[in-house]
Amino acid sequence: MVGARGWLAAAAIAAAACATGGGAEVGGPSTDGPFAYVANQESATVSVIDVDWRAAVATVDLRELGFSASAKPHDVAVEPDGSHWYLSLIGENRVLKFDRENRLVGRAEIEVPGLLALSPDGSTLWAGRSLSAVTPPSSVARIDTRTMEVEEEIEVLFDRPHALAVSPDGARVYSASLAENRLAVIHAGSGEVELVDVPGESVHTLVEFAVSPDGEWLVAGGEKTGTFLAWSLARPAAPELVASVELGGAPWHPVFAEDGSAVYVPLNRGDAVAVVDPATWREVDRIEHPALARPHGSAVTETGMVLVTSRNTEGTWTAAGEDPRAGAVVALDPRTGGVVDVMVVERHAAGIGVAGR
C-alpha cells in the first residue's frame, strides 16, 4: 500500500529535490531502488527513499492497512537483496513483512518489539524490546522470515533487552540491557546465552550495537553516561572491552563506514554526529547541521553514503513549507565529512534500513 507520495509522483519529487540540491543523477527514480526505509514513529508511516536520487518516492501509511494512528513504527530491517523489508510496531505488538512493492505479505505477534536485526542470509529475523516499554519481556525473539512464525523467545537473563546486532557470519547475536551494565551473546544455532559484564559505576543504557564489516569489533553508545564503547571480537563469544570514549550528548545508533574506517555516532541530545576512528578509538570529527535535531537512527548505503534520521520532536528545525515537527534524513559524505543532502520525511523519524546492511 503506497500513500500520497506514490510511484507516480516520484519523478516530480525527484525533480524538486534536484532543484534544491537533492537529486544526484539525471533520469528518474527506479522502482527497483536501492531504497532506504524510514520509520516515522509519530506519524504511523514509513517513508521510502530512492537512495541514488536522495528523494522520497513513496509513503506507506499504516492506517490504510488497518493499523491505528498510534501503531508507532520503530525500526526497519531490509533483506540483503532488497526483496523484502521488515518493520516493528511498538503500539501494535507486531513485526510486519513487506515486499519490494511495499505490499504487506506477513506479520508476527511480538510483545513491544523494538530493534530488528536480520541474519546475513535473510532467513532469520531477531527482535528486541522497545525502549519505551514499561515492563518488557527479558527475551529476544527469533522469527522465521519465510513463515513469519516466532520460532523461539530466548531469555537473555537481564532486564530490558534493547541493543541488537548479528555477527557477519550469522553465528551470534549480541543484545544488551538498558537497565544493567551487561550484554548477552546468543549462539544462533543452539540458542545458548553467555553473559558479559560491562564495566562502569553508572548504568550506561546501551541503546544500539554495530558490528564492523570484518566482524572484528562491536560498538555501542551509552545514552546515560554519554560514553561510546568498543569491544574486540577476537573471541566472538567473549567480547572484550577495549575502549571507552566520552562523547556526551546521548550516543544513539552507531554505524560503521562501508570500509570500516570510521564509526558514525548520532548524538541524540547533542544534535550532532560524532565520528570515531577505529584505529585509535578517538573522536576525530563532529558533524553539525540544523537538520540534525535529535538524531536517532543510522545506515550506510552500498556506495558508502551515511544516512542519519532526525526525530526533530521539539521542532527546533523546520524545512520551508513543511510540518514544523517533520523529521528528516540527513545524508553525509564520508569522503568530506560534510552534509550533502537533507530529505524531509514525517514526524519522529526513528529507525532506518537499507539493503545489505
Side-chain angles (χ1 to χ4, degrees), residues 121-243:
D121 64 1
S123 65
T124 302
L125 180 68
W126 299 86
R129 308 297 173 171
S130 168
L131 182 151
S132 63
V134 178
T135 55
S138 57
S139 60
V140 173
R142 173 163 48 193
I143 304 168
D144 182 330
T145 58
R146 183 180 59 85
T147 64
M148 289 303 288
E149 292 183 0
V150 179
E151 295 182 315
E152 188 176 6
E153 296 211 9
I154 299 173
E155 291 289 333
V156 290
L157 309 176
F158 52 62
D159 290 335
R160 306 184 69 81
H162 191 263
L164 196 64
V166 180
S167 62
D169 61 4
R172 294 169 184 84
V173 179
Y174 300 97
S175 180
S177 171
L178 294 171
E180 308 172 38
N181 284 339
R182 187 173 277 185
L183 64 85
V185 182
I186 303 171
H187 294 267
S190 65
E192 179 185 354
V193 176
E194 299 184 54
L195 297 180
V196 178
D197 290 329
V198 180
E201 296 182 2
S202 301
V203 176
H204 291 294
T205 303
L206 300 176
V207 177
E208 176 61 313
F209 281 134
V211 178
S212 60
D214 59 11
E216 293 185 2
W217 308 106
L218 175 72
V219 300
E223 178 196 13
K224 288 188 176 178
T225 61
T227 307
F228 171 84
L229 300 104
W231 291 263
S232 168
L233 294 180
R235 293 187 298 158
E240 179 184 0
L241 186 67
V242 294

Side-chain angles (χ1 to χ4, degrees), residues 328-339:
V329 178
V330 180
L332 311 177
D333 185 345
R335 296 169 299 179
T336 65
V339 172

Side-chain angles (χ1 to χ4, degrees), residues 4-349:
R5 281 190 259 183
W7 298 118
L8 293 177
I13 293 168
C18 288
T20 59
E25 297 182 3
V26 176
S30 166
T31 55
D32 295 327
F35 300 116
Y37 302 88
V38 183
N40 301 311
Q41 188 164 309
E42 190 176 333
S43 299
T45 62
V46 177
S47 295
V48 183
I49 292 174
D50 185 298
V51 170
D52 291 338
W53 270 76
R54 301 198 296 272
V57 295
T59 299
V60 178
D61 191 329
L62 296 167
R63 292 160 296 191
E64 295 179 4
L65 297 173
F67 299 100
S68 70
S70 58
K72 295 184 179 179
H74 184 66
D75 199 30
V76 180
V78 186
E79 290 189 5
D81 63 359
S83 60
H84 294 90
W85 56 278
Y86 303 85
L87 177 70
S88 60
L89 302 183
I90 299 171
E92 299 279 359
N93 294 317
R94 295 289 188 275
V95 174
L96 307 182
K97 178 180 181 179
F98 294 85
D99 64 14
R100 193 192 302 270
E101 287 72 40
N102 305 323
R103 295 174 297 206
L104 179 60
V105 296
R107 66 186 75 194
E109 184 172 353
I110 303 287
E111 187 175 348
V112 290
L115 299 181
L116 303 175
L118 266 172
S119 62
D121 64 1
S123 65
T124 302
L125 180 68
W126 299 86
R129 308 297 173 171
S130 168
L131 182 151
S132 63
V134 178
T135 55
S138 57
S139 60
V140 173
R142 173 163 48 193
I143 304 168
D144 182 330
T145 58
R146 183 180 59 85
T147 64
M148 289 303 288
E149 292 183 0
V150 179
E151 295 182 315
E152 188 176 6
E153 296 211 9
I154 299 173
E155 291 289 333
V156 290
L157 309 176
F158 52 62
D159 290 335
R160 306 184 69 81
H162 191 263
L164 196 64
V166 180
S167 62
D169 61 4
R172 294 169 184 84
V173 179
Y174 300 97
S175 180
S177 171
L178 294 171
E180 308 172 38
N181 284 339
R182 187 173 277 185
L183 64 85
V185 182
I186 303 171
H187 294 267
S190 65
E192 179 185 354
V193 176
E194 299 184 54
L195 297 180
V196 178
D197 290 329
V198 180
E201 296 182 2
S202 301
V203 176
H204 291 294
T205 303
L206 300 176
V207 177
E208 176 61 313
F209 281 134
V211 178
S212 60
D214 59 11
E216 293 185 2
W217 308 106
L218 175 72
V219 300
E223 178 196 13
K224 288 188 176 178
T225 61
T227 307
F228 171 84
L229 300 104
W231 291 263
S232 168
L233 294 180
R235 293 187 298 158
E240 179 184 0
L241 186 67
V242 294
S244 297
V245 185
E246 299 300 323
L247 297 178
W252 215 249
H253 290 208
V255 67
F256 277 87
E258 185 68 20
D259 61 0
S261 62
V263 186
Y264 293 82
V265 190
L267 303 179
N268 184 256
R269 295 193 178 275
D271 294 342
V273 175
V275 184
V276 176
D277 181 357
T280 61
W281 295 119
R282 293 181 179 177
E283 183 181 2
V284 294
D285 195 11
R286 185 162 294 204
I287 302 169
E288 298 179 332
H289 189 279
L292 288 169
R294 297 293 301 276
H296 181 119
S298 61
V300 62
T301 71
E302 292 183 349
T303 60
M305 182 170 56
V306 178
L307 303 176
V308 178
T309 62
S310 286
R311 295 181 184 178
N312 192 34
T313 43
E314 283 78 32
T316 57
W317 170 80
T318 303
E322 296 286 347
D323 178 347
R325 291 202 296 114
V329 178
V330 180
L332 311 177
D333 185 345
R335 296 169 299 179
T336 65
V339 172
V340 295
D341 215 339
V342 175
M343 292 150 278
V344 179
V345 290
E346 297 191 14
R347 289 191 174 189
H348 195 138

